[in-house]
């Protein structure tokens, strides 16, 4: 059996070491004679597993004392509603920066819940290929919201907007622990696990304690109140036990590899290899603008996507893209199809993607360009 290099945007590759550890402990974890999948979440066997995951999040992300770390369910998408239901409780107004699909979905969800949403900046004018520069957000907002890494558009903030007393909320689903991040600059951070942390099923929430309130928007279910989960240490109901277990192991792997700083160095090296090649090629080009480029998700087009929208050009473009994705898969480089909103291809090169995978991709791209120029 040989493993492929998996460039999926999510769920995505996990460190092989972690998968092997999980396999070795599948039938008997820590001498309990049980798989973690079979353990009661309230047992003495599981208690240290969730405690370890939390302490590793705190250590690796340098989470300040006055923040709670929560393990929730419902994915990043449930946070779009939860943020609004729990934070829009004073003025009922919130500021959103619109940088693509995920930021738009979050704003739409807040609106649906009756929040007055102000889009204070947007990069829609250029198909979200850059991050707008917003020096300061001020006003009577209950929170300001950003999507820190835009998985589909391949863009990432290279700065943190200044919001003064307004709590800043950031969706870090696709960049969590890919780099160093000053948690104290944010009121709330959240990340669905399946991009950079663990298999799908757990959502990490880091929330400043003063934002956890009994008060929520009217009609908010118990399960969607942060207070419910904070008071119960993420054990109000059955948590996603196995995913939390794998999360702890991925965090140990991150620690062994230099922590957030180590990941950042490794990721910068990987991304540079790919962007340098894209920028030097006359066959391919990256879609995200310099100064806004994600280290995690790299969408790119070929010269056949030059913008001509007549039927023949579009057909040629689709044919080349399909050929690229199929031939890459045949050489063990899988899940490279682009998102339909950007077109072309997308390589997601999360923490667990080794540099060898990126080197293999660039080699394949060179060969493909030669054969199809
Ligand atoms: C994948 C993703 C989401 C959605 O996550 P789900 O867990 O599928 O709900 C939200 N935001 C970003 C930035 C993502 O990449």
């Amino acid at each position: 059996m040989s493993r492929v290099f998996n460039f999926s945007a999510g769920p995505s590759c996990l460190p092989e070491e972690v998968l092997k550890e999980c396999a070795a402990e599948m039938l008997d974890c820590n001498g309990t004679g049980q798989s973690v999948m079979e353990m009661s979440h309230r047992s003495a066997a599981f208690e240290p597993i969730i405690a370890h995951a939390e302490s590793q999040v705190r250590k690796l992300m340098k989470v300040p004392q006055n923040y709670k770390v929560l393990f929730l369910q419902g994915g990043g998408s449930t946070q779009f509603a939860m943020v609004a239901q729990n934070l829009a409780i004073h003025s009922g107004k919130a500021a959103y920066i619109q940088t693509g699909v995920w930021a738009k979905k979050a704003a739409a969800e807040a609106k649906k819940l009756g929040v007055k949403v102000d889009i204070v900046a947007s990069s829609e004018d250029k198909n979200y290929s850059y991050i707008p520069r917003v020096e300061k957000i001020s006003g009577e907002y209950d929170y300001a919201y950003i999507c820190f890494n835009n998985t589909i558009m391949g863009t990432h903030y290279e700065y943190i907007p200044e919001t003064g007393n307004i709590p800043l909320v950031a969706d870090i689903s696709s960049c969590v622990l890919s780099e160093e991040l000053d948690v104290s600059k944010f009121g709330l951070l959240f990340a669905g696990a399946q991009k950079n942390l663990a298999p799908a099923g757990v959502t990490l929430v880091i929330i400043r304690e003063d934002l956890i309130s009994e008060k929520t928007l009217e009609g908010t279910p118990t399960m969607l109140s942060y207070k419910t989960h904070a008071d119960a240490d993420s054990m109000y109901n059955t948590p996603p036990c196995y995913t939390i277990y794998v999360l702890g192991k991925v965090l140990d792997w991150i620690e062994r590899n230099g922590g957030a700083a180590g990941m950042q160095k490794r990721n910068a090296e990987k991304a540079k290899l790919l962007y340098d090649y894209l920028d030097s090629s006359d066959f391919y080009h990256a879609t995200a603008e310099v100064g806004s480029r994600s280290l995690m998700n790299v969408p790119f087009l070929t010269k056949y996507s030059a913008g001509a929208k007549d039927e023949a050009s579009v057909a040629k473009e689709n044919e080349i893209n399909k050929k690229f994705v199929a031939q890459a898969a045949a050489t063990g480089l899988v899940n490279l199809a682009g998102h339909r909103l950007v077109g072309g291809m997308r390589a997601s090169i999360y923490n667990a993607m080794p540099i060898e995978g990126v080197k293999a991709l660039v080699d394949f791209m060179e060969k493909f360009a030669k054969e199809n120029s």
Side-chain angles (χ1 to χ4, degrees):
M1 185 226 35
S2 71
R3 283 179 51 82
V4 293
F5 289 119
N6 179 6
F7 294 91
S8 167
S12 43
C13 56
L14 288 163
E16 200 168 302
E17 271 168 61
V18 169
L19 295 174
K20 285 182 175 153
E21 283 173 38
C22 295
E25 292 175 358
M26 181 56 75
L27 299 184
D28 176 9
C29 180
N30 300 328
T32 59
Q34 307 161 52
S35 165
V36 177
M37 290 186 198
E38 306 168 298
M39 285 177 187
S40 160
H41 60 295
R42 308 218 183 264
S43 66
F46 185 68
E47 197 275 324
I49 292 174
I50 191 166
H52 175 71
E54 175 173 347
S55 78
Q56 285 295 70
V57 169
R58 288 191 173 278
K59 186 183 347 172
L60 296 172
M61 294 184 74
K62 302 190 172 80
V63 177
Q65 277 302 322
N66 61 326
Y67 285 68
K68 281 271 188 194
V69 171
L70 306 176
F71 299 119
L72 307 183
Q73 301 195 58
S77 302
T78 298
Q79 292 309 305
F80 300 161
M82 249 178 119
V83 162
Q85 287 172 311
N86 287 264
L87 302 190
I89 53 173
H90 304 293
S91 68
K93 290 201 277 187
Y96 281 71
I97 299 182
Q98 206 161 100
T99 51
V101 174
W102 297 117
K104 257 166 101 169
K105 283 195 169 171
E109 199 69 9
K111 258 190 220 161
K112 195 171 175 184
L113 291 160
V115 177
K116 175 155 186 329
V117 168
D118 280 351
I119 305 298
V120 294
S122 167
S123 51
E124 193 175 6
D125 59 333
K126 290 192 196 166
N127 196 27
Y128 302 111
S129 59
Y130 69 102
I131 298 291
R133 187 90 204 176
V134 180
E135 297 302 342
K136 186 158 178 55
I137 298 175
S138 52
E140 213 193 306
Y141 296 119
D142 285 337
Y143 63 93
Y145 184 103
I146 59 174
C147 179
F148 208 50
N149 185 78
N150 294 273
T151 323
I152 293 172
M153 306 303 169
T155 59
H156 180 57
Y157 282 79
E158 292 195 350
Y159 72 100
I160 297 173
E162 181 56 56
T163 60
N165 287 330
I166 305 168
L168 181 60
V169 174
D171 176 354
I172 55 168
S173 292
S174 50
C175 60
V176 57
L177 276 169
S178 67
E179 60 189 345
E180 292 189 279
L181 187 65
D182 182 352
V183 173
S184 73
K185 294 249 188 331
F186 299 87
L188 190 155
L189 292 163
F190 71 84
Q194 69 274 22
K195 314 284 166 58
N196 234 345
L197 288 180
V202 69
T203 309
L204 173 68
V205 172
I206 302 174
I207 180 171
R208 213 172 62 211
E209 279 169 357
D210 63 284
L211 299 173
I212 300 172
S213 167
E214 198 86 58
K215 192 174 164 197
T216 51
L217 292 186
E218 205 178 309
T220 298
T222 309
M223 276 294 288
L224 297 184
S225 154
Y226 289 122
K227 192 163 191 324
T228 300
H229 300 285
D231 285 353
D233 290 325
S234 304
M235 289 277 212
Y236 173 75
N237 70 327
T238 317
C241 302
Y242 195 78
T243 314
I244 291 169
Y245 158 81
V246 183
L247 168 62
K249 290 203 176 293
V250 171
L251 296 173
D252 293 346
W253 174 85
I254 291 176
E255 187 174 28
R256 289 197 296 278
N257 287 279
M263 288 298 118
Q264 184 164 348
K265 183 162 172 284
R266 199 181 129 97
N267 290 328
E269 206 179 316
K270 277 152 44 185
K272 184 174 184 324
L273 201 66
L274 189 47
Y275 284 118
D276 280 355
Y277 174 64
L278 288 166
D279 291 344
S280 70
S281 164
D282 46 24
F283 187 83
Y284 306 99
H285 61 278
T287 57
E289 287 185 10
V290 173
S292 300
R293 286 177 168 179
S294 170
L295 297 185
M296 298 284 94
N297 313 97
V298 185
F300 58 91
L301 304 175
T302 70
K303 66 176 183 181
Y304 297 102
S305 330
K309 289 297 162 216
D310 59 287
E311 219 171 286
S313 306
V314 170
K316 176 75 189 164
E317 179 186 344
N318 288 340
E319 182 200 317
I320 283 286
N321 292 345
K322 263 172 90 173
K323 190 171 165 190
F324 182 102
V325 171
Q327 287 188 1
T331 65
L333 309 170
V334 306
N335 289 322
L336 281 160
H339 191 281
R340 79 195 144 75
L341 292 176
V342 183
M345 274 63 70
R346 171 175 51 170
S348 293
I349 49 176
Y350 296 117
N351 286 347
M353 172 60 67
I355 192 152
E356 291 73 27
V358 181
K359 282 182 181 156
L361 173 62
V362 170
D363 286 348
F364 170 79
M365 288 170 73
E366 273 174 346
K367 186 168 154 282
F368 186 86
K370 256 191 217 121
E371 290 167 4
N372 292 279
S373 278

